[in-house]
Amino acid sequence: ADICFTSTTIPKMLVNIQMQSKAIGYTGCITQMCFLLLFAGLDDFLLAVMAYDRFVAICRPLHYTIVMNPQLCMWMVLVSFVISALHALLQGLMVLHLSFCTDLEIPHFICELNQVVHRACSDTFLNDVVIYFAAVLLAIGPLAGILYSYSKIVSTIRAISSDEGRLKAFSTCGSHLSVVSLFYCTCLGVYLSSATAHNSHSTAAASVMYTVV
């Protein structure tokens, strides 16, 4: 998911830097936007699934192999992919109904949904409603799952008597928490902050964190 996610943005960005040309066609822009939404959404859900995996491993270690069986893992990945694909398709179809001027400049290094929609020449009220509703539903939901899982994990770790046991349990969550902080928080901040501000430079800078770093 991460390889596909970065492959939708970084190659084009490197070509722009090398060729000193920032042009992208209409079809290419819409295609990049849809794949960006697909794999960003998939990453979003997989981070929540990984948090649940850590919750079971630390809080229910004796039942881990039973709970996290291959069938459940397959279904969680499949559901995550289907929801992400439907969301990307919906947003893509919504953008296709907008009218754009002939000469359009997007103040961003990628065709991000917010930037594309806000450069349309037609009314974008319905698009904004769908964007913010999807951001709340698809971002706050997994975030709530992550926070709940880690609240239980912290309670379990605090109950461990030995310092070595606490360190071992928490070390399994360190990399996941780092990815959540870099990817999830900046991605959510970019989409929710656009409701009150339109600073393209800060938006682009924040986007680098979850698209490149």
Side-chain angles (χ1 to χ4, degrees), residues 134-200:
V136 171
L137 187 64
L138 302 182
I140 300 300
L143 178 60
I146 292 173
L147 293 177
Y148 175 79
S149 296
Y150 274 103
S151 67
K152 295 296 184 181
I153 289 172
V154 170
S155 299
T156 302
I157 291 177
R158 290 179 61 186
I160 298 176
S161 56
S162 68
D163 293 335
E164 183 180 352
R166 290 197 196 98
L167 182 62
K168 183 179 179 181
F170 186 75
S171 65
T172 63
C173 307
S175 59
H176 180 254
L177 286 173
S178 300
V179 175
V180 169
S181 301
L182 286 174
F183 171 81
Y184 198 95
C185 296
T186 53
C187 183
L188 186 62
V190 165
Y191 277 85
L192 294 184
S193 64
S194 63
T196 56
H198 298 281
N199 190 330
S200 59

Side-chain angles (χ1 to χ4, degrees), residues 12-13 27 31 38-39 70 75 86 146 189 213:
K12 177 60 178 175
M13 181 181 67
T27 303
T31 302
L38 169 62
F39 294 113
W75 276 109
L86 291 176
I146 292 173
V213 176

